[in-house]
Amino acid sequence: MFFEIIFDLMNFFTQIKGFVLIYIIMSLVSCDNNNFETSISNKRIDFKTLQKGINIDSLYQVVAQTENDTIKINNLISIFNLSIRNRPIREDILEEAFKISRSIDYPAGIANSLRRKGVNARYDHYYLKSLKLHKEALPFYEKSWDVNEKVKNLNSLGVTYRRLNIEDEAIKYHLEALKLSEKTGYTKSMAIALNGIGNAYVTLKKYDEAIKYFKLSLKLNQINNNERGKGYSYSNLGEAFMYKQQYDTAFYYHEKSIEIAKKAKNKNDIAIIYSSIGLMFQHKNELNTALDYYFKAIPILTKYKSKRLLSFTLINTGIIYRKLEDYKKSKEYIMSGLELSTEIGSKGNLVLGYEALSELMESKGNYDNALKEYKLMTVYRDSIFNIQSENNIVAMNIKFDSDKKDEKIEKLNLEVKIDDNRNIILFLTIGLLLLISVFSYLYYRMRFKNNNMLIDNMRNQIQEYLNQISMLKDDNNKKEGQDFSQNLDEFGLSKREKEVLNYITQGLKNQEIADKMFVSLSTIKTHTKNIFEKLDVRNRIEAARKAQAI
């Protein structure tokens, strides 16, 4: 815990040692270099603030004139990173950062330069060179405080091993990256490591295990609101479910992934997903639909020089044309894919290509050549999955079980951390619910108060009504026996209705009137209704008052 606090403090002071603000960077165009050199000297460039389109050469020239120290090295690496976005990629700047790091014995600078060189080598498909550079960086990271960059280096090693189809080593380094990133809370690298382990399990055809890791990675990316990370997780889940032949689920995840890629306008990611969807339709034997997606992917992959996926897509396009019995096109695409696979040394694609070529020869009845291509395929396949590799994979699985005992994978520890984040969200949610409850309580108190007021009003009205009845009874007592019928001729009341009205003015109820007149209750009600209509009144009180007024 003490060392973690020290590390956090060092990171903090490194960050505040002096950022170069955007307006200073952009002033390269308008201010003279001497003034700018003074402003940038001994200050760390905040790479996140640098915008696309910045003048790399001008920025480099100013930084190059500063004193050789750790800040200058970090600035050079930041400028190199910016050149990746702005193009052309300035590897000479990275090389200078590496040389200065060596000259002043700056472990973090050496390690970060080697890591970045390793990534470049992988992008150029020099996988063995990439491995060498990443491994050279490891001992320098041991001397450095830059744990996050060390995690990136471990994940990069895992990716490169996967490119070489050495899955056991890939899992080992991704797992190491996962453990270290868990300790530092570096959730972005945790998600990358989980995706890497999942991809290794896909190659090993352990799709259920792969899906567990992909889903954990997706959860992390959702918590971090990392859109591109979510896109990768969705795409990986789509591929895993495709191999399980759960095509509807696979297509759902691919659709989610491509939605994110299109929103970000990331054409290379879109092409990768198109290729994955094409493979899914190929597995479903919907060949023409598969071709449509492959043809969407191929030009973009060609433009962005994604040779590994491009070779894979070309070979699969050739396989589809073989099934469609267009052998000429089939051979063209397979050979193009094999040429690329040979160039980059992708053993997995070479196996796929020679197997496809063997099946093509067999379809054409050329069995000798088919056998020849098949033998080539087995050579590459055996070089990938040799006995030693299989033993290593078994040993790695045993190591996982012994390390975790009750938990098969450290992902359960990760879920605890995810649950901690959920607890924070839950706490905020509970707070919001309590706030809503308070407002609801106040609202219902107001409504209850209003309801009480309404009830009081109704009670007052009823009391007033009862008082009016009482007053009528008093009036009736005074005028008991008085007959109002003689004054009611103009209203057209019948003899019986006049009699009923007389009883009403005396305050009798319908049943009492019925008893006195020896008729049924319904008859009295009918008479009462007729009286109300003829006198144009609404109730007994109004009828009695009108009769008395007349």
Side-chain angles (χ1 to χ4, degrees):
M1 178 63 71
F2 173 76
F3 289 108
E4 288 180 11
I5 294 170
I6 295 295
F7 170 71
D8 291 338
L9 286 172
M10 288 188 67
N11 271 344
F12 174 73
F13 286 117
T14 300
Q15 291 296 323
I16 67 170
K17 195 171 181 180
F19 291 127
V20 179
L21 301 175
I22 297 175
Y23 76 89
I24 298 176
I25 299 299
M26 298 307 290
S27 67
L28 275 167
V29 180
S30 57
C31 72
D32 63 88
N33 282 343
N34 289 333
N35 290 337
F36 183 74
E37 181 179 345
T38 303
S39 68
I40 198 172
S41 180
N42 294 324
K43 291 188 177 181
R44 172 82 177 269
I45 294 176
D46 181 9
F47 172 60
K48 294 180 181 178
T49 65
L50 299 182
Q51 302 300 306
K52 190 171 182 179
I54 193 76
N55 189 318
I56 299 294
D57 284 325
S58 299
L59 185 58
Y60 168 63
Q61 289 300 324
V62 175
V63 172
Q65 296 173 36
T66 60
E67 181 184 352
N68 286 350
D69 58 12
T70 58
I71 295 174
K72 178 178 180 178
I73 293 165
N74 292 331
N75 285 340
L76 287 171
I77 293 174
S78 293
I79 296 170
F80 166 76
N81 289 334
L82 186 63
S83 75
I84 295 173
R85 241 194 301 174
N86 286 12
R87 303 297 171 124
I89 298 175
R90 294 292 300 275
E91 294 191 24
D92 58 314
I93 297 176
L94 182 63
E95 187 62 37
E96 184 177 350
F98 178 62
K99 287 179 180 178
I100 297 172
S101 298
R102 287 274 195 191
S103 68
I104 67 172
D105 193 23
Y106 177 38
I110 296 170
N112 290 337
S113 298
L114 288 169
R115 181 188 72 80
R116 191 65 254 188
K117 285 184 172 186
V119 173
N120 292 346
R122 187 178 81 238
Y123 286 160
D124 292 333
H125 309 289
Y126 300 130
Y127 300 131
L128 293 176
K129 181 181 178 182
S130 177
L131 283 181
K132 179 176 177 294
L133 290 164
H134 285 307
K135 287 190 173 182
E136 281 182 18
L138 286 176
F140 292 102
Y141 277 121
E142 295 301 324
K143 302 175 185 178
S144 165
W145 290 92
D146 206 341
V147 180
N148 288 349
E149 292 297 321
K150 180 181 178 180
V151 171
K152 289 180 182 179
N153 191 62
L154 292 169
N155 272 326
S156 291
L157 267 168
V159 173
T160 305
Y161 271 117
R162 284 196 288 113
R163 294 290 184 268
L164 290 167
N165 298 102
I166 306 175
E167 308 303 330
D168 56 328
E169 288 294 306
I171 290 174
K172 181 178 78 173
Y173 283 107
H174 281 310
L175 187 63
E176 191 175 343
L178 179 60
K179 290 176 180 177
L180 191 55
S181 55
E182 279 185 301
K183 289 179 181 178
T184 60
Y186 193 24
T187 52
K188 185 177 179 181
S189 284
M190 290 165 68
I192 292 170
L194 289 165
N195 267 327
I197 296 170
N199 280 316
Y201 275 118
V202 167
T203 303
L204 295 172
K205 299 182 180 180
K206 296 182 178 181
Y207 305 122
D208 289 329
E209 287 297 314
I211 288 169
K212 291 177 186 177
Y213 282 101
F214 291 148
K215 285 187 174 181
L216 277 172
S217 176
L218 178 60
K219 287 179 184 177
L220 271 179
N221 286 317
Q222 287 172 334
I223 289 170
N224 295 330
N225 200 26
N226 183 345
E227 287 299 310
R228 195 170 189 190
K230 285 192 284 186
Y232 286 144
S233 297
Y234 283 134
S235 180
N236 287 331
L237 281 165
E239 183 180 3
F241 277 107
M242 176 201 69
Y243 285 121
K244 284 173 65 70
Q245 297 184 349
Q246 296 179 16
Y247 299 120
D248 289 341
T249 306
F251 193 71
Y252 164 78
Y253 283 116
H254 280 313
E255 285 282 283
K256 297 280 284 184
S257 178
I258 205 163
E259 180 182 333
I260 291 171
K262 285 181 176 179
K263 186 176 180 180
K265 296 181 181 179
N266 192 318
K267 292 184 179 179
N268 193 41
D269 286 357
I270 292 170
I272 292 169
I273 301 162
Y274 279 151
S275 182
S276 294
I277 296 174
L279 185 63
M280 183 193 71
F281 281 110
Q282 183 179 341
H283 277 251
K284 291 180 70 176
N285 208 35
E286 296 180 21
L287 303 182
N288 289 318
T289 306
L291 281 179
D292 288 341
Y293 279 100
Y294 283 150
F295 289 148
K296 289 179 182 179
I298 288 170
I300 304 175
L301 295 172
T302 304
K303 178 181 178 181
Y304 287 91
K305 298 181 180 179
S306 301
K307 294 181 180 180
R308 185 170 180 270
L309 184 57
L310 177 59
S311 64
F312 178 82
T313 306
L314 289 170
I315 292 167
N316 276 300
T317 303
I319 291 171
I320 291 176
Y321 274 120
R322 176 185 61 77
K323 292 180 178 180
L324 295 173
E325 298 183 0
D326 190 337
Y327 299 131
K328 183 179 178 181
K329 284 187 177 180
S330 176
K331 186 176 180 180
E332 287 175 3
Y333 279 101
I334 293 172
M335 293 304 295
S336 296
L338 273 172
E339 184 180 345
L340 273 177
S341 301
T342 304
E343 179 186 335
I344 63 176
S346 175
K347 291 182 179 180
N349 286 353
L350 286 168
V351 170
L352 179 68
Y354 282 116
E355 184 178 19
L357 205 55
S358 172
E359 290 173 350
L360 174 62
M361 297 300 176
E362 186 178 351
S363 298
K364 295 170 67 175
N366 192 342
Y367 299 108
D368 289 339
N369 283 333
L371 181 60
K372 178 183 174 182
E373 305 300 343
Y374 183 79
K375 286 180 178 179
L376 276 172
M377 181 271 292
T378 56
V379 169
Y380 284 107
R381 184 188 62 194
D382 293 343
S383 72
I384 297 173
F385 300 106
N386 52 52
I387 294 174
Q388 183 63 40
S389 182
E390 290 288 352
N391 288 339
N392 287 342
I393 292 169
V394 172
M396 184 60 64
N397 287 334
I398 292 170
K399 183 176 183 299
F400 293 161
D401 292 336
S402 63
D403 281 350
K404 298 305 160 192
K405 296 182 179 180
D406 295 336
E407 301 170 342
K408 292 183 179 180
I409 292 173
E410 195 163 350
K411 64 165 191 170
L412 297 180
N413 290 330
L414 175 59
E415 286 180 325
V416 171
K417 291 186 177 293
I418 293 173
D419 286 337
D420 288 341
N421 288 331
R422 284 179 178 165
N423 288 337
I424 293 172
I425 295 170
L426 182 61
F427 177 79
L428 293 173
T429 304
I430 291 171
L432 181 62
L433 289 174
L434 286 172
L435 194 60
I436 293 171
S437 299
V438 170
F439 279 113
S440 298
Y441 172 75
L442 294 174
Y443 172 75
Y444 282 110
R445 277 293 302 272
M446 289 179 66
R447 285 199 61 183
F448 180 75
K449 186 176 180 180
N450 290 337
N451 287 339
N452 284 343
M453 290 177 65
L454 289 172
I455 291 169
D456 288 339
N457 287 335
M458 291 176 65
R459 187 180 289 115
N460 292 335
Q461 289 176 0
I462 292 170
Q463 187 61 48
E464 184 180 353
Y465 185 81
L466 293 173
N467 290 339
Q468 289 176 348
I469 292 174
S470 177
M471 288 172 62
L472 282 175
K473 285 186 176 180
D474 291 339
D475 290 342
N476 287 335
N477 289 334
K478 294 176 182 178
K479 301 178 181 180
E480 191 173 358
Q482 185 177 351
D483 186 3
F484 300 100
S485 60
Q486 58 185 350
N487 301 321
L488 297 173
D489 293 337
E490 61 180 291
F491 295 101
L493 268 64
S494 66
K495 183 179 178 182
R496 280 288 190 178
E497 289 170 351
K498 290 177 181 178
E499 189 176 353
V500 169
L501 178 57
N502 191 40
Y503 286 128
I504 288 174
T505 59
Q506 295 174 26
L508 273 62
K509 298 177 181 178
N510 285 345
Q511 186 61 57
E512 292 174 337
I513 297 172
D515 292 340
K516 281 185 173 293
M517 297 179 66
F518 302 102
V519 295
S520 67
L521 179 62
S522 61
T523 300
I524 298 303
K525 286 182 178 180
T526 301
H527 288 322
T528 303
K529 180 182 176 184
N530 292 337
I531 291 167
F532 291 168
E533 287 177 356
K534 290 178 180 180
L535 294 180
D536 190 23
V537 295
R538 293 173 295 178
N539 51 51
R540 302 166 72 88
I541 293 173
E542 290 183 4
R545 281 182 174 177
K546 193 163 188 175
Q548 290 172 351
I550 296 169

